[in-house]
Structures are given as structure tokens and as C-alpha cells.
Amino acid sequence: MNASEFLKAVDNIVKEKNIDKEIVFEAMEAALTTAFKKNYGKSYSKVVINRETGDIKVYSYLTVIDD
């Protein structure tokens, strides 16, 4: 699924369920963050969806310490 198809799918959900678009994006970000953490074990990660382009970015934070 490309970014434009993703945005169309979000628009369809908003229209069909009469839900605020921001709530749909926040729910998708939360779900993708949970799935990423479950599959990759990264406890400090965050998923961000660009509301205008549909681009999805995953950020994983690491703590660097001296040996």
C-alpha cells in the first residue's frame, strides 16, 4: 500500500464511522508502535504518520553507555 492509498483508506474510515481524522491517525500510530515493539523488542520506539503525505516513520531510541 502506498501513501496515497493509505490516506484514502483513512478518509474512508473517517466518512464511514464518522470519527475525527486525528483520532484515527493517533489510533493507527499507537497500534503500529505496539506492533513494532512486539516484533522487534524496542521499548523506546515511536511511530509517526505524516498527516499530509501519508509517510510513516518509525523512531527507535537507544541509550548509549560506556563499557
Side-chain angles (χ1 to χ4, degrees):
M1 173 182 285
N2 64 31
S4 65
E5 290 174 344
F6 177 76
L7 290 176
K8 286 178 187 177
V10 170
D11 286 337
N12 286 337
I13 292 169
V14 168
K15 288 177 186 174
E16 287 179 11
K17 303 294 182 181
N18 196 25
I19 301 172
D20 183 44
K21 196 173 199 176
E22 186 60 27
I23 293 172
V24 174
F25 276 116
E26 288 174 2
M28 293 220 179
E29 287 173 339
L32 290 170
T33 299
T34 301
F36 182 80
K37 287 178 182 179
K38 182 178 178 182
N39 287 323
Y40 296 102
K42 305 288 185 184
S43 59
Y44 300 103
S45 59
K46 181 178 180 180
V47 175
V48 177
I49 302 172
N50 185 312
R51 273 59 168 164
E52 295 175 11
T53 63
D55 290 336
I56 300 171
K57 294 188 178 186
V58 178
Y59 297 96
S60 185
Y61 302 95
L62 304 174
T63 302
V64 180
I65 58 172
D66 290 332
D67 284 338

